[in-house]
Amino acid sequence: MIRNRRRLRSKRGIFISIEGIEGTGKSTQARLLSEYLSKKGYKTVLTEEPGGTPIGRHIRKVLLSTRHKKMDYLTELLLYNAARVQHIKEKIIPAIEAGKIVITDRFSDSTVAYQGFGRGISFKLIDSLDKTATNRLRPDITILLDLDVETGLKRNRRINKRDRLELEDIKFHEKVRKGYLRLAAKESKRIKLVKAAKGINEIHGEIAKVVEAFLSYTRY
Ligand code: TMP
């Protein structure tokens, strides 16, 4: 019975998210993981939030533009969810149904960390919107890259990455980091913490190990 269930499950793809505060190297690690899995013969789809679709990329520009300093927190929350709806319907679900491994740079945990812990929007509202937007689609496994806030922000400044959220003060980013760590403690089965104060290759090696263990456990 269990074997059957496992076999049925293995026909579906796998959904992986990479999360973390600014400057943790999420995008690099998502790309390296995707290349690593592709080389091993897996069909992968690499994507990101906000973005991942043409509509999502428009929404991303609106969200991250430094000209939009007046954006209300509720507008922000709704826009992240709007981009996510499109992302799930247009890209994530079709790829999972086709049996692929989807790797997304950010997903719903970002909303809980940034809009919930960071902005202070009610978790009840966030959860209720999330239910509507995602129909409770959750990553099978989430890699949380953790790094101290100052190092992360400095890294991004070095590569001249300064969008509307990165310009928030350090206290905001501290709240986001703490939020992520709370989430990881609460959902330790899904969210795997990886320390990001190391070299790119070392971090990649750790992520690859965690994902390999997950794939063999689920017999994907
Ligand atoms: P990044 O993909 O370059 O990290 O930029 C996305 C920014 O958007 C980043 O500051 C985190 C933020 N964000 C949220 O605040 N809520 C969300 O739900 C998502 C997906 C991202």
Side-chain angles (χ1 to χ4, degrees):
M1 185 63 190
I2 287 176
R3 283 184 73 171
N4 270 347
R5 232 188 282 142
R6 277 202 181 131
R7 227 179 271 143
L8 276 178
R9 199 184 172 295
S10 70
K11 285 185 182 157
R12 171 193 180 270
I14 299 279
F15 184 28
I16 301 173
S17 65
I18 316 259
E19 293 280 356
I21 59 161
E22 319 296 328
T24 47
K26 286 179 291 73
S27 314
T28 304
Q29 292 302 332
R31 181 178 47 77
L32 290 175
L33 178 62
S34 171
E35 287 168 4
Y36 171 83
L37 293 172
S38 298
K39 270 189 210 140
K40 297 202 107 191
Y42 295 108
K43 289 204 163 63
T44 62
V45 171
L46 177 62
T47 188
E48 65 165 358
E49 287 208 0
T53 66
I55 292 172
R57 283 188 281 279
H58 277 296
I59 298 175
R60 180 182 176 93
K61 278 192 198 138
V62 175
L63 275 163
L64 300 186
S65 167
T66 48
R67 278 185 294 165
H68 296 162
K69 293 212 172 71
K70 277 191 190 158
M71 188 180 292
D72 190 90
Y73 293 171
L74 184 57
T75 307
E76 186 180 282
L77 173 66
L78 292 170
L79 285 175
Y80 279 115
N81 275 284
R84 186 161 302 133
V85 170
Q86 200 62 32
H87 193 205
I88 291 170
K89 295 221 167 128
E90 205 178 311
K91 201 161 179 185
I92 298 175
I93 293 287
I96 292 175
E97 281 178 354
K100 297 179 181 167
I101 299 183
V102 178
I103 301 161
T104 183
D105 177 351
R106 298 193 183 281
F107 195 65
S108 294
D109 295 318
S110 284
T111 309
V112 178
Y114 281 79
Q115 281 64 55
F117 287 97
R119 300 296 197 207
I121 298 179
S122 113
F123 292 108
K124 211 169 146 202
L125 173 61
I126 289 177
D127 187 61
S128 131
L129 283 171
D130 180 73
K131 191 166 177 231
T132 306
T134 70
N135 196 20
R136 294 289 186 233
L137 173 71
R138 283 284 169 274
D140 296 299
I141 181 164
T142 295
I143 306 292
L144 172 59
L145 294 176
D146 183 54
L147 183 67
D148 71 274
V149 169
E150 258 184 65
T151 311
L153 290 175
K154 252 190 229 153
R155 272 192 196 172
N156 272 4
R157 251 171 247 144
R158 232 181 288 137
I159 56 166
N160 265 335
K161 191 172 177 296
R162 302 197 86 175
D163 60 40
R164 193 175 59 85
L165 276 98
E166 274 151 359
L167 290 178
E168 287 294 332
D169 63 16
I170 201 144
K171 271 195 205 139
F172 171 81
H173 294 286
E174 292 284 7
K175 282 192 248 173
V176 175
R177 182 186 183 201
K178 273 194 195 134
Y180 269 130
L181 293 174
R182 294 261 297 269
L183 275 177
K186 202 172 120 203
E187 287 195 59
S188 58
K189 195 153 181 261
R190 173 176 66 88
I191 305 179
K192 308 293 177 198
L193 192 73
V194 171
K195 296 271 169 216
K198 298 176 201 150
I200 290 175
N201 290 335
E202 206 181 330
I203 300 170
H204 168 62
E206 265 187 52
I207 295 176
K209 219 194 262 172
V210 169
V211 171
E212 286 278 11
F214 177 79
L215 294 179
S216 82
Y217 169 74
T218 55
R219 300 194 184 176
Y220 175 75

